[in-house]
Structures are given as C-alpha cells and as structure tokens.
Amino acid sequence: MRKIIVTLLISLFHLSATAQIRGAIVDGKKGDPIPGVKILLSSGEKTSANIAGEFILKPAKYPVKLIISSFGYESDSLWITKDTTFVKSLYVESIQIKTVVVTAGRRAQEIEEVPISMEILRPELINNKGIANLEQAVDQSPGVYAMDGQVSIRGGGGYSYGAGSRVMLLWNGVPMLSPDIGDAKWNSIPMEQTSQIEVIKGASSVLYGSGALNGIISLTEKEPTIQGKLAVKVQSGVYDNPRRASMKWWNKNPTFHLVDIYGGKAFKKFGASFGANMYLDSGYRQGESEKRFRINGSFFLRSDKLTKLKTGLSYNFQYQDVNMFILWKNDSSCYQPMDNTLSRQKAIRLNIDPYLKFVDNKNNKHYLRTRYYLVTTGNNQNYKDASFAQLFYTDYQFQKSILSGVNLTAGATANVGTVKSWVFQNHISQNYAAYSQVEAKFKKLDLTGGMRLEYYKLDTMSVDSRFEYLDSLFIPVYPIFRLGSHYALNKASHLRMSLGQGVRFPSIAERYVSTSVGGLIIFKNPNLRPEKGWSGEIGFKQIVKIGKSWKGYLDVAGFINEYSNMTEFTFGVYNPLTGDKLTWLGYGIASPEDSAIWNALTAQGVDFNQCVGFRAVNAEKARISGIEFAFNSQGRIGPIEVTSLVGYTYMNPISLNTDSIYKQTFSDTSTNILKYRFRHMAKSDIQLGYKNFELGFSTRFNSLMINIDKVFEEPIGTQEILPGLKEYREKNKKGAFVVDLRIAYSIKKQYRFNFIVNNLLNAEYASRPGDIQAPRNFILQFQCNL
C-alpha cells in the first residue's frame, strides 16, 4: 500500500501546476484507487475523482471544508487551510444499506427515491443457487413468473406460445428483444458478466419504447476495476427420479454441467473484461437437450486530452444446439414427447455494442449507445434454416441539470430490423422514437414527468403507430406519457406514486408465422394491431434497522394494470391461404358468407383439417389489480449474517372482454379470470452465514392456474393436443410449492464449495399446461474469486 501512495503523490505533483488542492482517494484496506469519488468544497466547488482516484480543485478562499463521499464507503471530511497535495483513505461502510439503480430514470438513483416498484437481484444469489440462465434467475423475484420462455410481472404477461414479450429485456440500457419473434433469448444473456439485475414492475415505455408494456428486466455488465478480478464457477448436477414411476424414461439419470469464467482489469486510461460460458444438459425430458458455448467481453478507452470522454465496446457470441420439447405424450408419461413434436434447433446469438459517454464543459452528459444484434434459428443441419434476423440500434441521450434539483433526460432512438425466413417470410421493420423526462426535487418531494413519441412501420403496410383523435384527426406517431412522485416522510420512510402508459407493436412472427407442430397448424394474421395499456401504483417503502447491524427495506404497493388488444394464439377455423378467420356453424359446414370461399378452397384441394388451428388475434381486454409486500435485508444478528429476499403478491386478473364466443375458449366459463394467471404468488430466499459456513433456502408458491385455453382440455375431433390434461388438472388443484436448499463452505473468501438441492421435496408441478418442471436435482459447485 505504501508504494501505491508514493506513486499517487508523484502522479499528483505532475497533474497541474495551477491547481490549489490536489488529492487522491484510495481504499483504506486494500490501498487501491477509488474512481468516481464525489469531492465537494464548502465554498461550492465540486468535482469527481478520475479513474485513478485523482482530483484537482481550486477554492475561492481558505480555509475551506472538503467533503468526500462515495457509494459503499463511509463519508469523510477535512479542513484545508492552504495549497496542498494529499492521499486520503476511505473505508467500506460496516453495512451498505443504499442500493443504486439506473433503469427507472436512465440515471443513477437510490432505490427508495424511484417512483415505481423495483426489485434487485444480486449476482451472489444467482451464483449460489446454481442458476443456469436468466429466466431461472428472474423467476426468483417477487411478483415475477416464468412460463416456458415467457416472463410475466404481476400477471401482465400470461402465456401464448410464439408470442412476443410484454416485458422488455435490457442489456446495458439497450433493448434485447429478437427482431423476428420479439422475444427474449434468456439463455444467451451473459450472466457471468452481470453486476446487477433490476426488475421494474409496470408499464415503462416512455424511456424504453415498445415491449416495455408489462415491465423491464435490466442487466448491467461488470465494470473492470483497478484491482482486477478473476472468477471461475464450475458445477455439475444430476436429476433424481420423479415422484411417479410412470414418468421415468431413463436407465441412467440425466446430468447437466456448467462452467463460467470472468476476468476484468482496469488501468489509468483503459480497461477490459472477458467472459465465457459452457452449458451441457442431457435433459430430464426424453429427447430434450441443450448445448451452448459463449464468449463475451468489453473494453473501454479514456482520452488523454478529453478527460471526460469514455468510449468502449462490449460483445457477446453464443452458439447453441437445442432439442426442444413442446407437447407431452400423455398425463402419465409427462416427460416423454408426443410423436413428431420434438424440434432440434441450432442457432447463433451475436451482439456488438459500441458506445460513447461524454461530459461537456457545462457538465451536461451525452450518451451514444449502439448495437448490432443477430439472431438465427436453424434445424439439425444448419444454424439459419428457419430465420436470419438482424437488428441495428442507435440511441442518443442527453442529460442536463436545468436548475438546482431539476434534471432533464432527452433522447432519440432508431431501431431497424431485417428478417429473412421461410417461416415468417422476408421483412423490414422501422421503429423511431423521441423521448424526454423531467425530474424535479423540492426538499422532500420528487416529481417526474415524461413523454415519448413512437413511430413504427413494417414493410409497406400502414403505420402501426398511427394515433387517432376524435375519429377524424391522426398523426403517424403514438404518444406515451408517464407521471411519478416520491415523498420522503423522513430519511427512512418513503411514499411513491406512478402512472404510466405502454405500447407493444406486433412481432413479425405473430403476424406472419405459418407452420405446424405435431399436426397443429399455425396461421398468419398480418392485420394484428398494437397492444396498449397503462399501469398505476401507490407504494410505501420503509428502511428498517433490527439491532445494530441488520438493515433492510420493507415495501408495500397497491397496483392496477389495464390492457387492450392483447394478442393470443386462438384456436379456430381459418383460410390457410390468407389466414382470415372463417365462420363455421359446425365442423364441415360452412356458413353462407363463407360458402364461396370454401368452394374455392376445395377446388384447390384444401381439406377441412387443413383449416383448423391457431392464429394470433387481438382477443383480450384485461384489468389486473392487486397488492404486493416485499422485505429485503442484509446484515448480522449476533454472529450470524442474514440475507433475505421475501415477497407476496395478490392479483385479481379479470377479463373485460364481453364477447360470448371468445368466452367459450376459457376452460372454466363460469369465471372471468384471465387465462394462465393465478391469484396468489409468494417467494422467499433466506441465507444464514456463520464464520465459513452458509445455509440458504428458497421457497416458491403459486395458487391454481384457474383458466387455460379450453382446446387443450378437449379433443379436436379424434385428436388431443395434450392427452389427459383435463384429468391431470382435476387431480392437481393446489397450485405449486417448491423448496430449494443449499449449503456452502468458504476458504478465505476466495474459494467456495456449494452443495445445492433444487426441488427438495420432489414436487411435481407445471409452469404452464403440459410443461412439467424438473424433478429434484443435486448440484456440486466450486467458485474461485481472485
């Protein structure tokens, strides 16, 4: 440490001949420089330490008080009476209660000041639970539910196979939904590079656009540090036998293996990181398997002349070979596939993200974020047989402090997608937007207001973003608004309120998919309309302290979400050539208005069975209201270190659709509960640490999924989509309750050994109809952090 301080003093001497106060801030324990430290003089001058922890200030007069603060460290101050050069040490807070988030307002904020519900998932939880992909990770968050690739927040998502996501996925503040399907590729997100996962609950389209209708899952990559880091995680697991003997199809229990690697190091003017992942899963369902290989990383540069300019690039490349399980054989053989329903897909995921950050002489902040995103879908022969989709994204953002306590965020976004596919055909989408948000602070009160103008057009079709006013006036851009407020009753008690709008434009796949799965035909529908919605919330957050060293957040929120034009893949009879719906009085009997169409189809050799299937339609109007409780904490109770993440969500998801024909598609027509939702959801994760040992357990509960599509329970003529599902649901009416357990032993905090048991009670449960989840499984894990 002495050598570091001497080096810093020599460096400071050469920084500036005119500077009055020159200093450097270092970690009091490790001696490493601390970049970004805020330096404030009592005379009003202020600055931030550079990446080497150095700063220069020229006060108006002496003596002057110098105040030093940095997130995660105890603040300090000292009086300066003359020109000086010094090195100052800061020490880590004994308990870090503040949590900084960036997604809600596109700038750093303490979580209690955000006017909308948020949850934070730490990388430590993900690593310690042996989680293999992002979908599994976000399923740990209160109020969030994952269903076979689709994520729903507070019941806003539901399930519809092949539909686009109503939850926006962000990586480093840039949307990461695929250009063709509009979904999130959860298994390709580089968890090994992630520093924090933020979950925003509620419509958030003002700052992030189409896709943020139901909320946001935002990940930020690790910033390379001066001290550097190398982390390796290796784990292997095995699936236990299922509770019912009829479900076991193997002679040798299937296994799965994962390797994660991360390395990062920063220097005075540049830094770089590198990550890699390998995952092999032989699958607990017959014929299902996954192989993936991923490399990723980042680097940044700082200019010698422009000290407030930072440029960089991050990248991620993944190759995968996946056998997908879609439909079960029957309710006794849930882990075996229906004939001809397995789908093997080789695929590539690639994103390259150049960026630039600059602070001008007036302390205005400029951000330029760009991305090239490639998503392919192949077959067992190649990686791009079904789809080759590319996205080109650019976002410019400007932040300015207008007045004391008033901040402006404004920007413009361009998002162009191209798709080449025999399944979806070839298309070009164009999505442009301008947005702004103003945040004002008045002592204890914070107010937020924002607006976005969204333009979307697909090929040569009419503009999807068309906004009509009084049925006579229209503009080609769709306006979206957001309002929020936060009031600090005191330092520990915070009230919040928010109201926001959202929109989601139909994905190319929803409009143009034309294929079949196991005899089920899916028809195209180019006439889909955008989904629209709004969400409102009133919440209260209390910072609590139990004893001298255990602190946390207690949060309660009442919410209401309303949506229209919600897209579902609905069963019916359709024209296989155009995708148009046909009206039928009964199987094989056409209504008078369709008789001419039917005659034309039969003349072309089209059989009736070729007209029966699913098509994406704007079927649903919905309102979801409820209340949510959460408690997150960390700290010590005596010699025991305790960390918790606990939440309960009550939802009342009701359909506002009064169409009696649509109502007949419900499995339970006596209720207006939305399909693929439930009323109760509770989650918890608690970890206890004593010296080198840790014990953790998680629980997840959801009540019965009351309504699903009726067609999944009743045969279509002689064909059943999910044989035995109705009987299975009759026998399993208690919802799902799952318990996970983990035990760990650490050596010098650098080496950690974990034994993990997922689904400890070997519960048999489904995330959606016919998708029975994994039986109990055991994992041995080793972590190394240097």
Side-chain angles (χ1 to χ4, degrees):
M1 180 174 177
R2 184 179 298 173
K3 291 182 178 179
I4 294 176
I5 292 175
V6 171
T7 302
L8 286 170
L9 286 170
I10 295 172
S11 175
L12 288 168
F13 181 79
H14 290 91
L15 274 175
S16 173
T18 61
Q20 298 297 312
I21 301 176
R22 301 188 291 272
I25 311 301
V26 299
D27 185 289
K29 185 176 180 179
K30 299 180 180 178
D32 298 321
I34 307 174
V37 176
K38 294 180 180 179
I39 313 295
L40 174 65
L41 297 182
S42 56
S43 54
E45 295 84 359
K46 59 183 179 179
T47 188
S48 297
N50 62 21
I51 196 170
E54 304 162 346
F55 70 90
I56 304 171
L57 273 175
K58 185 175 182 180
K61 60 180 180 178
Y62 290 113
V64 66
K65 187 177 183 179
L66 186 144
I67 303 167
I68 308 168
S69 62
S70 180
F71 174 68
Y73 288 86
E74 299 281 0
S75 297
D76 205 346
S77 63
L78 64 158
W79 282 94
I80 306 293
T81 59
K82 60 180 181 179
D83 293 0
T84 186
T85 299
F86 68 91
V87 174
K88 181 68 176 174
S89 298
L90 290 187
Y91 292 87
V92 175
E93 291 178 334
S94 56
I95 293 184
Q96 184 179 311
I97 190 169
K98 294 182 179 179
T99 300
V100 174
V101 297
V102 297
T103 310
R106 283 206 171 196
R107 67 180 184 88
Q109 295 173 278
E110 293 179 11
I111 191 170
E112 61 267 26
E113 296 178 353
V114 174
I116 193 170
S117 284
M118 291 189 69
E119 299 289 348
I120 306 298
L121 296 177
R122 305 291 188 187
E124 295 81 8
L125 174 64
I126 297 166
N127 287 332
N128 295 344
K129 284 182 62 65
I131 289 170
N133 62 58
L134 181 57
E135 182 182 1
Q136 297 173 357
V138 298
D139 198 36
Q140 310 299 311
S141 178
V144 181
Y145 187 71
M147 286 179 284
D148 194 18
Q150 297 190 6
V151 168
S152 172
I153 298 177
R154 291 175 173 172
Y159 177 79
S160 190
Y161 181 79
S165 176
R166 296 187 180 106
V167 174
M168 173 65 76
L169 174 62
L170 300 176
W171 175 258
N172 285 336
V174 179
M176 200 129 185
L177 299 181
S178 64
D180 48 4
I181 302 178
D183 65 345
K185 305 301 184 184
W186 303 105
N187 73 340
S188 68
I189 304 303
M191 306 291 290
E192 60 276 11
Q193 282 272 4
T194 301
S195 65
Q196 182 165 284
I197 302 175
E198 301 175 11
V199 180
I200 294 183
K201 303 173 183 181
S204 304
S205 289
V206 165
L207 291 180
Y208 296 102
S210 174
L213 184 66
N214 183 216
I216 294 174
I217 308 294
S218 176
L219 296 90
T220 306
E221 71 180 356
K222 298 173 184 176
E223 183 84 4
T225 61
I226 292 290
Q227 56 267 39
K229 181 177 182 179
L230 174 64
V232 178
K233 181 176 69 176
V234 180
Q235 66 185 45
S236 290
V238 59
Y239 295 106
D240 197 1
N241 294 333
R243 180 175 293 184
R244 285 193 291 156
S246 64
M247 294 173 59
K248 180 186 173 185
W249 55 268
W250 55 75
N251 293 319
K252 181 180 178 181
N253 291 67
T255 59
F256 52 97
H257 313 275
L258 179 144
V259 177
D260 275 346
I261 300 173
Y262 169 82
K265 174 71 174 175
F267 301 89
K268 189 172 182 179
K269 298 298 181 183
F270 70 94
S273 70
F274 172 80
N277 168 271
M278 180 189 73
Y279 183 67
L280 305 174
D281 189 345
S282 57
Y284 62 90
R285 291 184 278 208
Q286 188 177 25
E288 184 179 59
S289 64
E290 180 177 0
K291 300 177 183 178
R292 69 169 184 257
F293 307 93
R294 180 169 65 228
I295 59 171
N296 47 74
S298 67
F299 67 85
F300 69 83
L301 300 171
R302 293 183 184 273
S303 170
D304 289 324
K305 296 182 179 180
L306 299 174
T307 58
K308 294 185 178 181
L309 172 67
K310 179 182 178 182
T311 60
L313 179 146
S314 63
Y315 62 91
N316 183 45
F317 173 82
Q318 176 171 298
Y319 171 81
Q320 65 184 49
D321 187 349
V322 178
N323 276 305
M324 299 180 63
F325 183 104
I326 301 175
L327 301 174
W328 72 18
K329 185 176 183 179
N330 54 57
D331 60 323
S332 296
S333 305
C334 303
Y335 287 162
Q336 294 177 261
M338 181 184 292
D339 292 344
N340 302 315
T341 60
L342 287 175
S343 174
R344 185 177 177 186
Q345 296 180 357
K346 295 181 179 180
I348 283 176
R349 317 281 187 245
L350 168 67
N351 64 278
I352 302 173
D353 305 350
Y355 68 87
L356 180 150
K357 299 180 182 180
F358 177 66
V359 181
D360 62 27
N361 293 332
K362 296 183 179 180
N363 210 34
N364 300 318
K365 298 177 181 178
H366 305 262
Y367 300 86
L368 181 65
R369 300 178 176 93
T370 65
R371 169 169 293 158
Y372 169 74
Y373 187 28
L374 170 66
V375 176
T376 75
T377 304
N379 56 20
N380 61 343
Q381 297 295 323
N382 65 62
Y383 65 90
K384 61 177 183 178
D385 174 71
S387 179
F388 188 90
Q390 301 175 92
L391 181 145
F392 304 87
Y393 180 93
T394 301
D395 177 81
Y396 167 74
Q397 180 184 311
F398 171 78
Q399 289 185 354
K400 179 181 180 64
S401 180
I402 304 174
L403 301 169
S404 178
V406 180
N407 294 299
L408 168 68
T409 299
T413 298
N415 188 339
V416 177
T418 66
V419 175
K420 296 181 179 180
S421 168
W422 66 264
V423 179
F424 313 131
Q425 303 170 14
N426 299 339
H427 302 279
I428 298 177
S429 62
Q430 302 174 67
N431 189 185
Y432 306 104
Y435 59 88
S436 65
Q437 179 167 286
V438 176
E439 299 166 281
K441 189 175 186 65
F442 307 96
K443 294 184 178 179
K444 294 184 176 183
L445 176 65
D446 299 325
L447 297 177
T448 302
M451 183 184 75
R452 186 182 187 93
L453 297 175
E454 192 92 7
Y455 174 89
Y456 182 87
K457 183 178 177 63
L458 180 62
D459 300 328
T460 58
M461 298 174 61
S462 298
V463 175
D464 273 333
S465 53
R466 173 188 174 112
F467 178 76
E468 297 185 5
Y469 179 70
L470 297 178
D471 297 325
S472 59
L473 301 175
F474 75 91
I475 55 175
V477 292
Y478 192 83
I480 308 165
F481 298 93
R482 175 194 182 193
L483 294 172
S485 65
H486 158 261
Y487 184 77
L489 297 171
N490 52 54
K491 289 185 178 180
S493 304
H494 301 264
L495 287 171
R496 67 178 182 274
M497 183 169 57
S498 67
L499 182 65
Q501 293 179 297
V503 65
R504 187 183 76 87
F505 300 113
S507 71
I508 290 172
E510 288 169 321
R511 277 179 157 154
Y512 289 101
V513 62
S514 180
T515 187
S516 63
V517 179
L520 296 178
I521 301 174
I522 303 175
F523 299 94
K524 63 183 180 180
N525 182 9
N527 299 316
L528 273 181
R529 301 187 304 278
E531 297 181 342
K532 302 172 184 178
W534 61 269
S535 66
E537 177 187 294
I538 297 177
F540 173 74
K541 188 182 293 291
Q542 177 70 42
I543 301 175
V544 296
K545 181 177 180 181
I546 303 174
K548 294 183 179 181
S549 56
W550 189 31
K551 300 179 182 180
Y553 295 100
L554 176 64
D555 191 279
V556 59
F559 60 88
I560 180 170
N561 306 320
E562 191 162 313
Y563 305 101
S564 61
N565 292 338
M566 294 182 80
T567 300
E568 292 183 3
F569 276 88
T570 302
F571 179 78
V573 182
Y574 304 99
N575 185 327
L577 302 181
T578 65
D580 294 335
K581 183 175 177 60
L582 300 177
T583 304
W584 297 85
L585 303 177
Y587 286 129
I589 304 174
S591 65
E593 60 265 34
D594 288 331
S595 58
I597 298 175
W598 175 244
N599 290 336
L601 291 174
T602 53
Q604 297 180 59
V606 176
D607 182 75
F608 173 78
N609 290 329
Q610 295 174 272
C611 302
V612 179
F614 291 85
R615 186 187 69 159
V617 297
N618 297 111
E620 188 61 277
K621 184 178 182 181
R623 178 185 298 131
I624 304 162
S625 56
I627 189 168
E628 186 170 83
F629 301 89
F631 180 67
N632 305 332
S633 70
Q634 61 180 19
R636 288 183 176 273
I637 300 177
I640 308 298
E641 186 172 345
V642 182
T643 304
S644 68
L645 173 63
V646 182
Y648 165 75
T649 308
Y650 168 78
M651 297 165 286
N652 184 32
I654 61 172
S655 171
L656 302 178
N657 193 329
T658 58
D659 185 351
S660 59
I661 296 177
Y662 173 71
K663 191 69 177 291
Q664 295 303 310
T665 66
F666 284 37
S667 59
D668 183 354
T669 56
S670 66
T671 178
N672 62 346
I673 296 294
L674 289 170
K675 300 174 190 174
Y676 307 105
R677 271 79 162 190
F678 30 75
R679 292 190 184 275
H680 305 277
M681 179 162 51
K683 299 185 179 182
S684 70
D685 186 90
I686 298 176
Q687 183 167 290
L688 309 175
Y690 177 72
K691 294 185 178 180
N692 294 342
F693 292 92
E694 288 181 355
L695 173 67
F697 63 90
S698 300
T699 63
R700 298 185 301 282
F701 168 78
N702 60 264
S703 57
L704 175 66
M705 188 178 286
I706 298 172
N707 257 320
I708 64 171
D709 281 295
K710 188 175 184 178
V711 69
F712 290 131
E713 291 190 343
E714 297 185 355
I716 308 170
T718 59
Q719 182 181 1
E720 291 183 271
I721 298 177
L722 288 168
L725 179 62
K726 187 172 185 178
E727 292 77 14
Y728 184 88
R729 282 171 50 81
E730 287 291 332
K731 295 175 184 177
N732 297 271
K733 291 187 173 182
K734 295 182 179 180
F737 179 67
V738 183
V739 179
D740 303 330
L741 179 71
R742 60 187 184 272
I743 301 172
Y745 179 76
S746 299
I747 302 175
K748 296 182 179 180
K749 296 185 178 182
Q750 293 178 321
Y751 307 101
R752 181 186 179 96
F753 300 88
N754 273 350
F755 176 63
I756 304 163
V757 184
N758 290 321
N759 194 0
L760 177 68
L761 305 180
N762 208 15
E764 183 181 323
Y765 67 104
S767 66
R768 53 89 176 161
D771 185 40
I772 308 303
Q773 296 300 288
R776 177 171 49 223
N777 53 90
F778 306 94
I779 300 174
L780 287 175
Q781 183 193 80
F782 170 71
Q783 297 180 34
C784 174
N785 291 280
L786 302 174

